[in-house]
Amino acid sequence: MEAKNILVKLKPIIVVILLFSLVFFLRAEAASISGIPEQSKAFFQEDSGLPYFSEMDSYYNYRLTENFIDHGYFGDTIKNGTDWDLHSFFPPGRSAEYPPLIVWITTFFYKLANLFDEYPLLVVSFWVPAIIASLCVIPAYLFVRKISNEYGGITAGILVGVAPFYFSHTFAGFFDTDMFNMILPLLVVWFFSESITTTENRRKMLFAVYAALSMFVFSLAWEGWWYIFYLVVFVAIVYMLVSKYIFKMDSIKPWAKYPDKKQWLFEQPIILPLIIFVVLSLVLMFIYWGSSVFSSLLQPIAATKLQAATQATSYPNVFISVGELQIPNIIDVIRDVGGIMPFVFGILGLAMFYWNLRIKKAKGKVKRKSPKKDRKTRRGRKSRKRKESKEEISEEKKEQDSITPEMRSKYLYYAILFTAWLLITAYAITKGVRFVEAFSLPISLSAGIFMGFLADYLRKHITNANYHVITMAVIIALVCYTPVISANTLANSVTPGTDDAMVDSLSWVETNTPENAVMTSWWDFGHLFATKADRAVTFDGGSQNNARAYWVGKALFTSNEDLSAGILKMLATSGDEGYSTLENYTGNTGKTVEIMDKILVKDKAAARNIMTSQYDLTTEQADKVLKFTHPTNSTPSLFVTSADMVGKAGWWSYFGNWNFESKNSTNYIYSMAQATATSENNSVIIKGENNVTVQISGNNITGGLQISENQITPPHRLILVTNGTAAVDTVVNNQSTFSILVLYQDNNLFTVAMNRELEESMFTRLFFMQGSGLQHFKLAHKEPKQGISSVQVWNVS
C-alpha cells in the first residue's frame, strides 16, 4: 500500500520524464541526418562528427556566444558604449545588442559540460535547442493537468512539444531563439493564471511574482515579448469587468468598505496580482533594458504594419523574399499546428469552457420531488411540506455554494484567456506564417483541455477503470499520431545548411586572404562567412533589408563586367556612402541609380565630367561622391558564387533589375540538372533531367526543351562549355524566351535552362562559364577542385 502511495506521488514526475524523453529524442534524431546517404554524410559534418547547423542564423548566435565567452561582450568591440559587430554590414558595422538569453544559457551549458570533459562550443550549441525546446512539455502538462486532468495534461504536453512549426525550428542543430518561444510565454500565462484563480492571498502574490519574473526572462529571449504582456493584462481586465458586471461575482471589492486602503488592495482578487505583475515586470525590464522597454511596448503598432513593410519602397524590400513573412492559407495553418484533429480538438476545448459555463450557471435549479412519494400518511401534510421545502432550498443553496461559484469563475477566466489568446495569435498569422508558432501554443493547450473534458465524460459511461484507461490511451494516440509522425519525418529528413565545399572555401579565405578583405555574395550565407572565414561581409541575415540588396543583385544580374566590379569594390570600401551622398543631391532614387550606372564604369575624371556636365552637380559635390565610388585606397574585395545561388536567382534577379519608375520587377530563373550522354547514329545525344535535349552531329549542334515526345522547343541561345571554355555559342531562335547551357567539366555533365535575360548575366559568366574572358574577376579558389564547382571565390579588381 505504501509503495502504491509513493507511485501515485511520483506519477507526475514519471510522466514529465517520459514526455520530455519523447520530444527530446525526436529532436535528437536530426543529428543523424538520415536523409543523406551514409557515404555522403561526412561531406555535411563538422570535424566533431556532428552536422553543420541547419540554417544560417545559428552561426550568428554561435559567433555572439563565442565573443561573450572570449571577451565578455557580444560584439567585436565597444562603440560609444554599445556592443558593435564589425563583421556584419561592413564598413560601418552594426549594433550587436541582442536578446541575451540564448548566449547566457549556452555559455552556462558550455561551462557546465566542460567541468566533466572537453566539449567544443559548437557541440554544446548544437544540442542546446533540443534540450531547451523539449522543456516546454513540463509547464504544458502541469498547467492543463490543473485545469482538467492527467489525460488532458499528457495530451497538451505532447502537442506543444511536437507542434510542427515549432519543432521545425528547434531540433538539434537549429541554434536560434525559437527554442524559448513555447516555454517562456507558457510560464507567464500559467503563473499569472494561478495568481488569478487561486483564492489564497499569499499564493496570489507569489504566483504574480513568478509571472513577472517569467515575463522578464522572456524579454531577454525574444523582442516580441510584449504580446504576452498585453495578453495577460487584457485578459485580467476583461475578466474583472465581465465577472463583476455580467456574472455579478465578487471580483472587485468596494472601496468604501475599507478604511485602510492598503487592506483594500490586499483583498482584491484580480487587481492585486495584476498590479504586482505589471509593476514588477516593467521595473525588472527597465533595470536591464532601460527606456527601450517603453519603445518595445509600442511594437504592436509596427506589427500591424508588418505586411506593409514588405511592399515596395524606393529600393526593393528584401522582406518580400523571406518565406516566414508569407501569408499562409488555412490548410497550411492546420498542418503547422499538428493536423486536423489537434486543430479541431483545440477549437472544441474553447467551446467546452463556454458549455460548462452555461451548465454551471443553470445547475443550481433542482427539480423538486413530489411530497406524495415520501409521505406515509396524510397526517401533518402542511407541516411535512414546509419541512421538505426548506430541505430542498437548503440542498439547492449547498450545491450552488460548493460547486458553482468557484468553478464558474475559473471557467469564465479560462474562456476569456483562450478566446483572446487564439484570436490575437490568429490575427498575427495574417502578418506571416512564422506566427503559426505562437498560434500553435494556445490551440495545443486547448486541445489537451478538451481531452480532459472528454475523459471526464467517458468516465461516467465506462465504469471499468481499465477500459477507461485503454480508451483514453487510444484517443490520445489518435490525436497525437499526426504531429508525432510529422516530427519524426522532419527530424529524419533534415539537411545541414552548408557542406564541406563551402566551409573548406571559407577556411581557405581565412588562411590566404588579407584580414581586412570583405566578402560579398547574396545575403543568405553572410553569417556563415563571418563565422567560418572570420571576414567582414557586405550584408547578411541581420542586415539584408536595405539598398545593398539591389546593388548586389545588380552586380549579379548585369552583363556589364565593369559595372559589376565597380559596385562590389564600392560596397567593400565605402558601403552605402556613395549612392547615399549622391541621393542627397538628386533627391531621387531613380536618378541616383541612373547616374551610378554611368559613373561606376568610368575612371574618376570621366565620372566627374558626367556628373557636372550631364547632371548639373558642382565639382565639389561630384568629388564628395567620387571619394566613395572611386576610392583611392580600396578595400580587398572577395566575391563568392555558389550552387545555392542558382535556385535563388529568382530573387537576386528580381532585386537586381528593379524598375524605379513602376516600382516592380520580374523574376528570372535557372533550371540546372545532371545529364547523360549517349551515342546514336554517329551523333551524341545529351539529355538532362530538366528536359533539356541536345544533339551533336559533327559540327552541327541542335537542341531545346522537350515538351512532348515529338516536340522540342528551340532556345534563344545554345551554349556548350567544355572545361571552362565556350566550345559552342550560337543564337538559335530570336523569338524564344529561354536559353540553354551545357556544362562538361572533368567528366561531369550538366544541362541548364534559363530565362534568356540571364544568359549574359555576371552570375552565368562567373559560375557556369568559370569567368572565361573576364578582366576584373580572377578565380582565387573553388571547391571541389575537380568537376563542376559548387563554390567559387573571386578576387575583384
Side-chain angles (χ1 to χ4, degrees):
M1 191 67 179
E2 185 178 345
K4 185 177 180 180
N5 291 334
I6 294 174
L7 188 61
V8 169
K9 292 180 180 179
L10 290 177
K11 184 168 71 171
I13 298 175
I14 295 171
V15 171
V16 162
I17 292 173
L18 292 175
L19 290 175
F20 176 85
S21 299
L22 170 66
V23 300
F24 173 77
F25 285 117
L26 283 171
R27 285 178 166 83
E29 186 60 31
S32 66
I33 50 176
S34 304
I36 295 175
E38 196 66 36
Q39 64 272 19
S40 303
K41 286 185 177 180
F43 188 63
F44 296 93
Q45 292 175 330
E46 298 272 7
D47 293 338
S48 64
L50 288 173
Y52 294 113
F53 288 137
S54 59
E55 54 81 51
M56 296 303 103
D57 285 352
S58 299
Y59 286 100
Y60 180 67
N61 294 318
Y62 169 79
R63 186 162 61 85
L64 293 189
T65 307
E66 189 175 42
N67 284 343
F68 183 71
I69 292 173
D70 179 65
H71 48 254
Y73 50 90
F74 294 174
D76 300 311
T77 187
I78 302 290
K79 183 177 180 180
N80 298 325
T82 300
D83 282 17
W84 204 255
D85 185 358
L86 296 174
H87 282 73
S88 177
F89 201 64
F90 192 85
R94 66 188 181 97
S95 170
E97 291 185 335
Y98 194 71
L101 189 62
I102 186 171
V103 172
W104 292 351
I105 288 288
T106 307
T107 300
F108 169 77
F109 276 106
Y110 171 74
K111 293 185 178 296
L112 179 65
N114 280 272
L115 291 176
F116 304 97
D117 203 345
E118 290 188 10
Y119 293 96
L121 180 60
L122 267 173
V123 173
V124 176
S125 301
F126 186 90
W127 289 108
V128 162
I131 297 170
I132 298 297
S134 298
L135 291 173
C136 70
V137 302
I138 301 174
Y141 163 73
L142 295 175
F143 183 32
V144 174
R145 178 176 178 262
K146 181 72 177 294
I147 297 174
S148 58
N149 52 42
E150 198 76 33
Y151 300 106
I154 291 172
T155 305
I158 296 173
L159 293 180
V160 169
V162 298
F165 192 93
Y166 177 60
F167 187 92
S168 69
H169 288 63
T170 55
F171 51 77
F174 198 111
F175 182 52
D176 208 351
T177 56
D178 292 77
M179 69 178 84
F180 303 114
N181 287 354
M182 285 291 197
I183 184 171
L184 293 178
L186 184 47
L187 286 174
V188 174
V189 172
W190 176 30
F191 289 141
F192 188 76
S193 297
E194 287 290 329
S195 75
I196 294 294
T197 56
T198 189
T199 56
E200 186 184 338
N201 227 34
R202 182 174 174 276
R203 287 171 59 83
K204 277 185 178 296
M205 293 187 289
L206 194 60
F207 279 114
V209 170
Y210 291 161
L213 291 173
S214 300
M215 189 73 256
F216 170 62
V217 174
F218 192 26
S219 76
L220 301 175
W222 187 45
E223 293 173 345
W225 57 266
W226 47 262
Y227 95 91
I228 283 292
F229 179 84
Y230 280 125
L231 172 69
V232 296
V233 172
F234 173 78
V235 168
I237 293 173
V238 172
Y239 169 63
M240 180 170 59
L241 297 176
V242 170
S243 61
K244 175 67 175 179
Y245 297 108
I246 296 179
F247 284 80
K248 308 303 179 184
M249 297 178 183
D250 194 20
S251 51
I252 304 178
K253 305 291 186 181
W255 178 279
K257 291 185 177 180
Y258 292 87
D260 184 351
K261 305 313 176 186
K262 181 180 177 182
Q263 184 183 357
W264 171 86
L265 178 61
F266 276 90
E267 292 293 326
Q268 296 299 317
I270 300 173
I271 295 176
L272 176 63
L274 179 60
I275 290 176
I276 292 174
F277 170 77
V278 171
V279 172
L280 181 58
S281 58
L282 289 179
V283 166
L284 290 172
M285 287 188 281
F286 180 78
I287 291 172
Y288 184 82
W289 293 109
S291 59
S292 65
V293 69
F294 301 112
S295 60
S296 296
L297 291 172
L298 298 177
Q299 285 299 307
I301 299 173
T304 60
K305 299 177 180 179
L306 189 56
Q307 276 301 311
T310 67
Q311 305 305 311
T313 56
S314 295
Y315 280 101
N317 194 305
V318 175
F319 284 162
I320 64 173
S321 67
V322 177
E324 290 188 354
L325 292 180
Q326 306 306 308
I327 300 174
N329 57 43
I330 185 63
I331 302 301
D332 296 329
V333 173
I334 292 174
R335 181 197 64 221
D336 287 340
V337 301
I340 189 66
M341 287 193 72
F343 182 80
V344 171
F345 271 41
I347 301 301
L348 291 176
L350 176 61
M352 287 304 296
F353 282 125
Y354 289 100
W355 176 258
N356 279 275
L357 186 63
R358 183 191 67 84
I359 291 175
K360 294 302 180 184
K361 185 177 180 181
K363 197 167 183 178
K365 296 182 179 180
V366 181
K367 185 177 179 181
R368 299 183 179 182
K369 300 178 182 179
S370 171
K372 293 182 180 180
K373 294 182 180 180
D374 296 325
R375 191 179 296 115
K376 295 182 179 179
T377 66
R378 292 184 178 273
R379 251 178 252 175
R381 181 176 179 180
K382 291 183 180 180
S383 173
R384 184 65 175 264
K385 186 175 181 179
R386 285 195 297 269
K387 183 178 179 181
E388 287 177 344
S389 179
K390 289 180 180 179
E391 289 175 350
E392 287 167 357
I393 293 171
S394 176
E395 181 183 354
E396 179 180 345
K397 186 175 184 302
K398 180 180 178 182
E399 183 176 3
Q400 288 178 334
D401 290 344
S402 62
I403 299 176
T404 305
E406 183 180 351
M407 294 307 299
R408 190 193 310 175
S409 64
K410 287 185 178 181
Y411 285 142
L412 177 60
Y413 171 77
Y414 288 121
I416 294 172
L417 170 65
F418 280 95
T419 299
W421 203 352
L422 287 169
L423 288 177
I424 289 171
T425 52
Y427 172 75
I429 292 173
T430 66
K431 305 303 174 184
V433 68
R434 72 156 288 110
F435 299 106
V436 172
E437 183 176 80
F439 179 73
S440 63
L441 178 53
I443 205 77
S444 298
L445 295 174
S446 187
I449 289 166
F450 178 74
M451 185 66 75
F453 283 129
L454 183 61
D456 288 338
Y457 174 79
L458 292 178
R459 188 177 285 110
K460 299 174 183 177
H461 299 273
I462 303 175
T463 56
N464 187 297
N466 292 330
Y467 289 164
H468 180 261
V469 171
I470 293 171
T471 301
M472 291 310 303
V474 170
I475 298 174
I476 292 175
L478 290 173
V479 174
C480 298
Y481 176 80
T482 297
V484 169
I485 293 301
S486 174
N488 184 63
T489 301
L490 189 149
N492 282 281
S493 60
V494 168
T495 301
T498 189
D499 53 39
D500 282 350
M502 178 63 80
V503 173
D504 290 347
S505 297
L506 299 178
S507 296
W508 181 91
V509 168
E510 183 180 22
T511 304
N512 297 279
T513 65
E515 290 186 5
N516 67 333
V518 177
M519 301 184 70
T520 304
S521 186
W522 198 235
W523 61 267
D524 304 68
F525 280 104
H527 290 318
L528 178 68
F529 293 173
T531 300
K532 292 293 188 179
D534 193 21
R535 294 293 182 271
V537 299
T538 300
F539 68 154
D540 51 35
S543 58
Q544 77 273 50
N545 192 34
N546 54 71
R548 297 188 186 193
Y550 166 76
W551 289 106
V552 174
K554 189 160 194 170
L556 290 162
F557 181 73
T558 184
S559 60
N560 189 323
E561 181 190 1
D562 292 334
L563 178 58
S564 181
I567 290 171
L568 296 173
K569 293 296 291 183
M570 174 186 67
L571 291 176
T573 304
S574 61
D576 308 301
E577 294 293 338
Y579 45 81
S580 296
T581 301
L582 181 57
E583 189 157 348
N584 288 334
Y585 302 139
T586 66
N588 182 296
T589 303
K591 181 66 68 175
T592 297
V593 170
E594 178 186 321
I595 298 172
M596 293 290 291
D597 287 349
K598 291 182 179 181
I599 66 174
L600 284 173
V601 298
K602 301 293 185 179
D603 61 28
K604 185 176 290 189
R608 181 186 296 109
N609 182 59
I610 289 172
M611 286 188 283
T612 56
S613 64
Q614 296 182 28
Y615 294 98
D616 298 326
L617 269 70
T618 66
T619 301
E620 182 182 2
Q621 290 174 333
D623 285 341
K624 284 184 178 179
V625 173
L626 291 170
K627 182 173 66 172
F628 303 117
T629 60
H630 294 67
T632 303
N633 297 311
S634 58
T635 302
S637 176
L638 302 175
F639 192 50
V640 179
T641 53
S642 52
D644 64 284
M645 295 168 70
V646 175
K648 297 166 185 171
W651 285 120
W652 56 252
S653 66
Y654 178 88
F655 297 121
N657 73 101
W658 182 257
N659 187 313
F660 286 90
E661 291 185 6
S662 61
K663 294 188 177 180
N664 59 26
S665 190
T666 304
N667 305 85
Y668 299 115
I669 61 172
Y670 297 98
S671 173
M672 181 179 178
Q674 287 186 317
T676 56
T678 57
S679 296
E680 296 180 15
N681 301 323
N682 296 321
S683 298
V684 175
I685 308 297
I686 298 173
K687 290 190 174 182
E689 295 175 3
N690 53 357
N691 293 327
V692 169
T693 298
V694 175
Q695 181 173 328
I696 304 174
S697 301
N699 293 325
N700 184 31
I701 300 178
T702 59
L705 281 178
Q706 188 154 10
I707 60 176
S708 67
E709 185 176 352
N710 300 313
Q711 184 178 1
I712 296 177
T713 302
H716 168 252
R717 188 170 162 190
L718 178 60
I719 307 169
L720 177 61
V721 178
T722 302
N723 294 323
T725 302
V728 175
D729 187 349
T730 180
V731 174
V732 179
N733 187 334
N734 279 319
Q735 305 304 312
S736 183
T737 61
F738 68 93
S739 294
I740 284 176
L741 182 66
V742 178
L743 295 174
Y744 179 77
Q745 181 78 33
D746 300 329
N747 295 320
N748 290 273
L749 189 61
F750 284 84
T751 54
V752 181
M754 69 187 101
N755 289 102
R756 63 183 289 178
E757 289 81 0
L758 292 171
E759 63 189 22
E760 283 289 339
S761 72
M762 287 304 298
F763 181 79
T764 299
R765 297 168 69 184
L766 289 167
F767 185 75
F768 293 120
M769 303 182 72
Q770 301 187 48
S772 177
L774 298 179
Q775 300 299 314
H776 298 296
F777 293 84
K778 299 301 179 185
L779 185 62
H781 185 79
K782 72 173 187 175
E783 292 285 347
K785 295 177 178 60
Q786 298 295 317
I788 306 295
S789 57
S790 61
V791 182
Q792 301 160 333
V793 181
W794 304 88
N795 281 318
V796 185
S797 62

